[in-house]
Amino acid sequence: MIDLSVIILTHNESKHIERCIKSLLPVTNKIFIVDSFSTDDTVAIARKMGATVTQNQWVSYAFQFNFGIHNNPFTTSWVMRMDADEYITPELALELNQSLSAMAADVSGLYVKRRVYFMDKWIRRGGYYPIWLLRVWRNGLGICEELWMDEHIKLSSGTTAQLQNDIVDHNLNNLTWWTQKHNHYAIREVIDLLNIKYNFESKDTINPSFWGSQEQRTRFLKVKYAGLPLFTRPFIYFIFRYIFKGGFLDGTKGLIWHFLQGFWYRFLVDAKIYEVYYRAGRDKESIISHFRTAYGKDVKNPNQSVRI
């Protein structure tokens, strides 16, 4: 076992949590789960697998994950972030075992590649592989950005390195679950995009840079995307991914994925932004008030909910 602990957030993940933990056991048995009061047997399965479980009321992903970081009971040198519907490949487990203890002292964060499966198919094209994510960092040097969407781990010091093997994102739920989840995601995406324009809050986040890390490039492109006209940008994004990035080569399941994730979801976000403008106008304070009364969200503080 290497000097590593893993933090996983859960809510009704009985389909996935055993698979996730089982993939991690060749690397570490220090697994800390922060559960937001699951109503299925997620907690029982996790404890049976040897994980340490605590429960905390959900506010936002960043809030919950930072709670996990600050309350991690394992005083390991390294920390890893996993989602419950992910697992690590045997090759990544071997690489972690062989390389983590020998990592250079100035390296404080490690990037891994994420491999996405949809309807049991690996989505290889359309810019979806490889996606490099900072998932392993030295304890005490990483914190999750307090954003509504696309939160990343932000390091306080040190350099980064890349591991060569994959984390697999393979959700086993059906398409109805997927679309409902993305409908809930859409309002968070709306807040994130409008925050770029209106600057609802001032937070310490990753600096946008096209030539920087994966997170910096993603943030740069998101800022540029936010400046494009409503209802035009979903078409541009889908055509770029599906045609120019080769998404059409992913077959029928790939078509469903790229259309839903690359067009439908983003069109839905634009429709919700249009609705915000329709109901609240374009005044910043009116928009802030609208999110509080209509959605119970304080856009100035992602880590607080509002009773409505």
Side-chain angles (χ1 to χ4, degrees):
M1 296 292 175
I2 55 178
D3 194 16
L4 172 74
S5 57
V6 183
I7 300 174
I8 308 170
L9 307 186
T10 60
H11 178 71
N12 293 343
E13 292 288 355
S14 59
K15 286 185 178 181
H16 303 112
I17 193 62
E18 182 174 352
R19 182 187 65 182
C20 178
I21 294 173
K22 189 176 293 185
S23 76
L24 293 164
L25 289 179
V27 176
T28 182
N29 59 4
K30 297 178 177 62
I31 298 169
F32 180 45
I33 290 177
V34 182
D35 181 77
S36 51
F37 296 95
S38 292
T39 56
D40 64 4
D41 55 353
T42 297
V43 171
I45 294 171
R47 286 177 172 153
K48 182 179 178 181
M49 297 289 294
T52 298
V53 182
T54 191
Q55 291 186 302
N56 192 57
Q57 187 66 45
W58 180 271
V59 175
S60 68
Y61 187 94
F63 177 86
Q64 194 80 334
F65 198 81
N66 285 333
F67 175 90
I69 291 174
H70 295 312
N71 292 276
N72 185 358
F74 305 112
T75 56
T76 55
S77 298
W78 294 88
V79 180
M80 184 176 187
R81 164 185 175 180
M82 288 284 290
D83 290 338
D85 60 356
E86 296 174 335
Y87 59 91
I88 66 172
T89 62
E91 293 79 11
L92 179 57
L94 179 63
E95 184 178 13
L96 286 166
N97 280 321
Q98 292 178 340
S99 63
L100 203 60
S101 60
M103 196 62 58
D106 64 325
V107 174
S108 57
L110 299 173
Y111 284 87
V112 300
K113 293 180 289 184
R114 185 178 66 184
R115 183 193 307 177
V116 175
Y117 278 76
F118 178 73
M119 291 186 174
D120 301 323
K121 179 180 177 58
W122 181 2
I123 306 298
R124 294 172 179 259
R125 287 104 178 168
Y128 253 78
Y129 185 81
I131 297 175
W132 289 94
L133 301 172
L134 197 156
R135 288 299 190 92
V136 184
W137 64 94
R138 290 192 188 273
N139 201 348
L141 297 183
I143 200 74
C144 189
E145 297 174 291
E146 293 181 1
L147 296 175
W148 289 93
M149 282 292 291
D150 299 328
E151 312 91 343
H152 300 104
I153 295 297
K154 184 175 176 63
L155 298 176
S156 59
S157 64
T159 62
T160 61
Q162 291 182 336
L163 299 174
Q164 297 308 306
N165 293 289
D166 297 0
I167 285 175
V168 179
D169 180 337
H170 185 182
N171 193 287
L172 302 175
N173 288 304
N174 61 29
L175 194 56
T176 296
W177 178 92
W178 190 95
T179 53
Q180 289 172 342
K181 181 185 77 167
H182 280 74
N183 184 39
H184 290 300
Y185 278 176
I187 190 59
R188 293 163 52 193
E189 187 75 28
V190 165
I191 296 172
D192 211 29
L193 288 172
L194 288 178
N195 187 45
I196 293 172
K197 180 177 180 179
Y198 289 98
N199 191 28
F200 298 133
E201 53 181 327
S202 179
K203 297 290 184 181
D204 184 21
T205 62
I206 291 170
N207 294 322
S209 173
F210 183 79
W211 303 109
S213 65
Q214 174 87 39
E215 293 95 338
Q216 289 177 308
R217 183 162 53 255
T218 299
R219 189 62 46 79
F220 174 86
L221 294 172
K222 189 164 192 175
V223 170
K224 295 298 181 183
Y225 182 89
L228 295 174
L230 287 181
F231 304 118
T232 300
R233 54 197 184 188
F235 288 94
I236 295 171
Y237 183 71
F238 172 71
I239 291 170
F240 175 74
R241 265 181 50 176
Y242 195 67
I243 304 299
F244 294 98
K245 297 293 287 185
F248 65 92
L249 296 172
D250 282 323
T252 302
K253 293 177 180 178
L255 170 62
I256 298 170
W257 165 263
H258 291 297
F259 183 83
L260 290 178
Q261 206 278 337
F263 179 77
W264 169 81
Y265 169 65
R266 282 162 175 76
F267 194 93
L268 178 64
V269 169
D270 277 6
K272 288 178 182 283
I273 290 175
Y274 180 86
E275 183 186 41
V276 170
Y277 288 152
Y278 171 71
R279 298 188 182 279
R282 295 176 181 261
D283 174 71
K284 177 179 176 178
E285 293 304 318
S286 296
I287 292 173
I288 291 172
S289 177
H290 173 74
F291 279 116
R292 289 180 64 89
T293 57
Y295 295 102
K297 296 186 182 298
D298 182 355
V299 298
K300 290 185 175 182
N301 189 347
N303 288 341
Q304 289 187 6
S305 59
V306 179
R307 189 179 299 275
I308 59 174

